[in-house]
Each structure stands twice: as C-alpha cells, then as structure tokens.
Amino acid sequence: MLTANRSNVGRVRHVNEDQSWVGQLDNGVTLAIVADGMGGHQAGDVASEMAVNAFRSVLEQHAAKPSLTEEEGKMLIRQAISEANESIYAKAASNEQYHNMGTTIVAAMLHDHNAIIGHVGDSRAYRVTKESIQLLTTDHSLVNELLRSGQLTDEEAANHPRRNVLTRAIGTDPQVEIDVQSLSWSPEDVLLLCSDGLTNMVSEQEMQAVVAGEELELGGKADHLIGLALEAGGDDNVTVVLLQGASSAKREEGSV
C-alpha cells in the first residue's frame, strides 16, 4: 500500500490540533486516522492525540489476526472510536483544564478489495478516481443539518459563520453515535482522509485534479493539497492522508 501523511499548522493558528497516523499490520491490513481536536488552552491537541493513540492501540492489538472478516473489521473500528471517546471524556471530566475538549475522527481500514470507514464530526473521507471524487462521509455539523433540510444553499453553507459548529464529536459526551460503513475497493482508487482545514479552503474539483493527476508521486500530491490550502489563506490546521494500492502506482518512500 502506498501512503502519504501530511499535516501543517496553517497560517493563522499557533498550535496544530490535528493528529494523524498510518500503519500496516503483518496481515496486510492498512489503518489510517485523522483527528481534528477542539478546546481551549491547547486541549484540542491533547484530545486528538488521545484519539489517535486509542485507535492505534485497539487496532494494532485486535486487527492483526490472520483472517479478519468485514464484520469483525467494522466492530473493531467502532470499538476503537468508542474507546477514544471514553478516554477523552473521562480526562475532560476529571481535569478543569480540559473541560469540553473533543475531537473529530475519520478512520479507515483497508484490506484486499474492502475498505471500512468510521467517522464522527466533520473530518472527511473521499474516494478519488481519474474520473471523479466521491464524498464517503456525512459532516456531523450544524450547517450540514441546515443544508440537508433545505434551509441553506450550498453557497450560504460555505460562508456560514457557524460552519465549524459540530453536532457530534468525540469526547464531549459519555457515549457517541459512530458512522461506520464498508465498501468495495479497487487498487486504482485513492482514499483521501482530511481535516476541514483542507475542505474549507480547497474545492472538491481541485482536490480531484491533484490526486488524479499523473505528474506527482503520492507524497507530492499530499504536499500540493496542503499548499493549496495555505495559498487560499490557511485559516486552520490542515491534514491530508492518501492511500493507494501499490500495484497501481510506482512504489515510493511513503509505502508501507
């Protein structure tokens, strides 16, 4: 599996509250997660780091079995995100410094011709091909609820002053509803996981053009996406993870 994992603090923020991780288990399962933390006094970076660590711990411990079924994979993604929620909520409840901290999560497990995606919040997963870009996740945000109910147009949603208000996040409540889906996967497909620091700054058409282009290696494509977000203003931390089957592209330094 070819991978690229990039993050940048942006042009406005002083702390990068995004965290990401990509790894591959001995059984060929590839795992990836992006978490976009929130909370005052640098609590957001604590929440996102805790989320990544909890996710990684559960999956490295339980997903490395020789044969992992689709249902087992979905259960483990759900378990990993649930444990992240519990640990962050407990820390926030016991320490005033971390009161109300939380994070988004978008995570993926890829194996053979199957991808399992789990998410909470407004960090996103996309499937990118040479012809199209497909949003795989649904933002758990106030603006998206208003958009889906017809109360806002696409243009109004893009510029809404409360577009960063989440309706669901990790660590803010004792339990959280987690969206988990499974889909068939082609080696030619590219999976893009990202924080909203990318999607608020760069259009889906621009993202598709970069990722589907043949001029750059996967790492260069991730760097280019980060660069586009910075050129557009870099109002937020921006994180990009790209995953692609090694058989469909030249092997590079970022492969695992």
Side-chain angles (χ1 to χ4, degrees), residues 51 54-59 61-63 71-87 105 109 118 170 176 178 180:
F55 175 85
R56 182 175 179 175
S57 175
V58 170
L59 272 299
Q61 184 176 353
H62 298 292
E71 284 307 309
E72 287 173 327
K74 291 169 74 172
M75 180 189 70
L76 286 174
I77 288 280
R78 196 178 299 279
Q79 177 187 342
I81 296 176
S82 293
E83 291 196 13
N85 184 75
E86 292 168 8
S87 62
I105 280 181
M109 174 189 295
I170 295 293
V176 65
I178 303 162
V180 179

Side-chain angles (χ1 to χ4, degrees), residues 38 85 88-89 92 100-103 168-176:
M38 58 191 188
N85 184 75
I88 294 168
Y89 181 80
N100 278 342
M101 75 173 174
T103 184
R168 231 188 277 178
I170 295 293
T172 56
D173 294 286
Q175 283 88 35
V176 65

Side-chain angles (χ1 to χ4, degrees), residues 210-254:
V210 171
V211 176
E214 298 182 357
E215 300 80 20
L216 299 171
E217 301 279 11
L218 209 61
K221 294 176 180 181
D223 290 332
H224 193 179
L225 290 173
I226 296 280
L228 289 175
L230 297 178
E231 289 171 17
D235 293 349
D236 199 355
N237 311 144
V238 53
T239 299
V240 171
V241 168
L242 296 174
L243 306 172
Q244 184 178 27
S247 62
S248 60
K250 291 185 292 183
R251 181 163 293 278
E252 60 173 297
E253 184 179 346

